[in-house]
Amino acid sequence: MSGLAFNPFAMAQSQFDKVAQLLELDEGTRELLRNPLREYQFSIPVHMDDGTVKVFRGFRVQHNDARGPSKGGIRFHPQETIDTVRALAMWMTWKCAVVDIPLGGGKGGVICDPHNLSMREQEQIARGWVRQIWKNVGPFNDVPAPDVMTNSQHMLWMLDEYEHLSGGHYPGFITGKPVGMGGSLGRTEATGFGVVFTIREALKTMGIHPEGTNAAVQGFGNVAQYAVRLYTQLGGKVVCVSSWDQTDQTSYTFKRDTGVDVDELLKITDRFGGIDKQKAEKLGYEVLPGGAWIEQEVDILVPAALENQITEENVNKISEKVKIVAEGANGPTAPEADDVLRKRGIYVIPDFLANAGGVTCSYFEQVQSNMNYFWTRDEVLGKLDVKMTEAFYAVHELAERRKLSMRDAAYVISINRVAQACKDRGWC
Ligand code: NAD
């Protein structure tokens, strides 16, 4: 992370303001869309395993629900702030709109560090989060999902608590549930695969076959693992991934010129996506500083860990060879760095398009949960490919036609759709 003063919400608003200007949006619509419609902050008291009571801070932000129920994940993170949640909620609004699914944007979180919490303590936090907010969320107004350091088990605890409080079965309350308990096949792969569907199409527009291309990936969590898997299946080579080391409290890059092997690395990766560096060295990986992923001589960079990773300070370390930056993470590129990428002619697939596979599949999960009829994995991933590919070309064609960056074109499409829904409802 560069600089303590980084504020993701200020960044999200500045991206919005720029496009609002471009679209000549009226003042009222701008004011409505540059801030969340609703936000909640609350305390979650937990009886810890050592007998003490600890109070955790929880959040839920509903940025906009003009197009449908708010949708967005819940993060468990020690550095969570309300501004991070606001930014992520706003990006969810644009993400749902860019892939044209009938959902709005929301996000939630709890300031906590699951590394230092037992499963029982995490369950209490998950259930406590629902107890504080259940009247303001639900299948028809706001549908949560997993995000950083939360998973299907947390979602199931949350569903159980919600159903207990509301006295019925509402599998459409939450997505990212375990398969067999209302979850959708394909959801685990969806975000990473979605990133690669957009990379595949971007390469196609450049007349490049994925075979023979290579990539460097930041992160080795859910998004990164499945992105590496599918990109490798398409014939590409991933030369490095990176991860956070809990013991050393720093990140490392794991590089192997012959390419990384997901299955092999998974055997030495903890449940938070942290790779064991001694074991990695034995497998022939070079262990480099965390920032090394960005300096690799590759065709494609995939930041898939955290926000604010490509900044003014490191953007010039990006090799001449790089043609595509596919933003798997939310908000990985700071605005100043984005300007540099644009000037250098690097094709950026913006976060809310590139990583929209997760929410698209969550939408499929909701549809299936509501019908109580579940599709096969191939059916889910086939529908996902169609949605992502359509969204990619809508953005790509607008970017070409209006000489816009991919990010601005994606914003133009999303903001137009959301502004129109607000107008149609008579809000502004
Ligand atoms: P995850 O918790 O599964 O994995 C995060 C990975 O990043 C881990 O390997 C961790 O070790 C690594 N990491 C953490 N800090 C790092 C650092 N400073 N440098 C290098 N690596 C670091 O998370 P995820 O679900 O893969 O999500 C990654 C990003 O993608 C987040 O920005 C998230 O908001 C976004 N995202 C996720 C989904 C989804 O469906 N999982 C959907 C859309 C967007």
Side-chain angles (χ1 to χ4, degrees):
M1 300 286 280
S2 82
L4 290 173
F6 170 70
N7 181 332
F9 187 46
M11 171 175 151
Q13 285 188 315
S14 97
Q15 290 170 341
F16 168 76
D17 289 341
K18 201 173 112 197
V19 181
Q21 189 79 22
L22 201 75
L23 286 171
E24 297 177 4
L25 277 190
D26 62 88
E27 209 40 57
T29 309
R30 269 186 219 207
E31 202 46 38
L32 186 69
L33 295 182
R34 77 191 302 281
N35 289 298
L37 277 179
R38 287 173 290 275
E39 49 187 58
Y40 306 90
Q41 299 189 41
F42 42 88
S43 295
I44 305 170
V46 170
H47 289 270
M48 306 298 283
D49 293 349
D50 65 4
T52 60
V53 171
K54 203 166 165 196
V55 180
F56 295 89
R57 201 75 189 139
F59 308 104
R60 187 70 185 171
V61 171
Q62 294 160 354
H63 171 259
N64 191 284
D65 55 11
R67 286 171 48 86
S70 304
K71 185 90 196 77
I74 303 168
R75 293 178 154 202
F76 283 2
H77 200 278
Q79 270 107 44
E80 192 68 298
T81 67
I82 184 67
D83 275 338
T84 310
V85 185
R86 286 175 178 140
L88 293 166
M90 190 193 267
W91 285 322
M92 282 305 295
T93 304
W94 314 140
K95 193 183 296 187
C96 292
V98 82
V99 280
D100 206 10
I101 55 179
L103 297 170
K107 204 80 181 187
V110 178
I111 305 175
C112 68
D113 189 352
H115 296 98
N116 306 322
L117 295 164
S118 68
M119 289 314 277
R120 193 200 68 85
E121 289 165 338
Q122 291 185 46
E123 177 177 354
Q124 297 314 305
I125 294 175
R127 290 184 184 275
W129 189 91
V130 173
R131 276 201 293 279
Q132 299 303 340
I133 192 75
W134 71 281
K135 288 188 178 151
N136 304 102
V137 293
F140 305 108
N141 51 356
D142 184 357
V143 183
D147 202 283
V148 175
M149 289 200 269
T150 55
N151 57 36
S152 57
Q153 177 63 76
H154 297 95
M155 298 305 107
L156 195 53
W157 286 325
M158 287 180 166
L159 175 69
D160 187 65
E161 192 67 26
Y162 182 82
E163 292 185 337
H164 179 75
L165 291 164
S166 30
H169 280 287
Y170 299 97
F173 157 62
I174 206 159
T175 61
K177 302 181 293 294
V179 172
M181 290 296 289
S184 175
L185 290 167
R187 175 63 185 87
T188 314
E189 304 91 310
T191 308
F193 277 21
V195 171
V196 176
F197 293 148
T198 64
I199 292 174
R200 180 194 64 202
E201 297 308 315
L203 286 170
K204 215 178 270 176
T205 67
M206 296 171 185
I208 301 172
H209 292 288
E211 305 89 5
T213 65
N214 60 3
V217 176
Q218 187 193 31
F220 193 59
N222 172 265
V223 179
Q225 286 165 19
Y226 286 98
V228 174
R229 227 182 249 289
L230 186 60
Y231 174 69
T232 309
Q233 273 171 28
L234 295 182
K237 183 171 77 178
V238 174
V239 298
C240 69
V241 294
S242 72
S243 77
W244 181 255
D245 188 293
Q246 186 57 20
T247 315
D248 297 357
Q249 287 292 299
T250 189
S251 55
Y252 294 105
T253 299
F254 298 84
K255 183 181 176 192
R256 196 167 66 179
D257 289 334
T258 52
V260 307
D261 178 330
V262 175
D263 291 319
E264 177 187 76
L265 280 182
L266 275 176
K267 291 187 192 129
I268 58 164
T269 301
D270 67 23
R271 65 196 162 99
F272 303 105
I275 301 168
D276 184 313
K277 46 181 199 309
Q278 274 83 30
K279 290 183 181 157
E281 269 170 351
K282 281 196 193 126
L283 291 169
Y285 290 85
E286 249 182 288
V287 180
L288 303 170
W293 71 280
I294 207 172
E295 304 167 11
Q296 301 305 310
E297 246 189 66
V298 287
D299 302 291
I300 302 159
L301 289 177
V302 185
L306 293 176
E307 60 278 357
N308 201 35
Q309 296 301 300
I310 305 179
T311 63
E312 219 172 356
E313 289 86 56
N314 65 9
V315 65
N316 288 316
K317 294 184 179 166
I318 294 180
S319 142
E320 298 274 300
K321 194 183 175 206
V322 172
K323 298 167 191 68
I324 295 173
V325 172
E327 297 182 330
N330 288 314
T333 311
E336 310 77 38
D338 207 22
D339 289 341
V340 176
L341 295 179
R342 188 172 316 181
K343 281 187 196 124
R344 286 182 52 179
I346 295 175
Y347 191 99
V348 176
I349 309 174
D351 49 6
F352 64 103
L353 171 63
N355 69 32
V359 74
T360 304
C361 197
S362 289
Y363 164 60
F364 295 157
E365 178 177 333
Q366 226 193 333
V367 171
Q368 296 170 83
S369 286
N370 292 339
M371 289 191 302
N372 207 12
Y373 174 74
F374 290 84
W375 305 329
T376 62
R377 178 176 179 271
D378 281 353
E379 195 168 353
V380 173
L381 294 175
K383 283 178 163 55
L384 180 69
D385 196 347
V386 169
K387 262 292 187 207
M388 293 297 295
T389 302
E390 272 175 10
F392 172 85
Y393 279 105
V395 175
H396 174 80
E397 277 157 20
L398 184 71
E400 294 273 289
R401 185 154 40 85
R402 301 231 344 231
K403 304 271 170 282
L404 296 171
S405 69
M406 283 289 283
R407 191 184 315 280
D408 287 350
Y411 267 119
V412 165
I413 289 175
S414 305
I415 293 172
N416 254 332
R417 284 181 181 155
V418 179
Q420 192 60 46
C422 294
K423 280 198 173 60
D424 291 348
R425 284 176 180 273
W427 292 356
C428 51

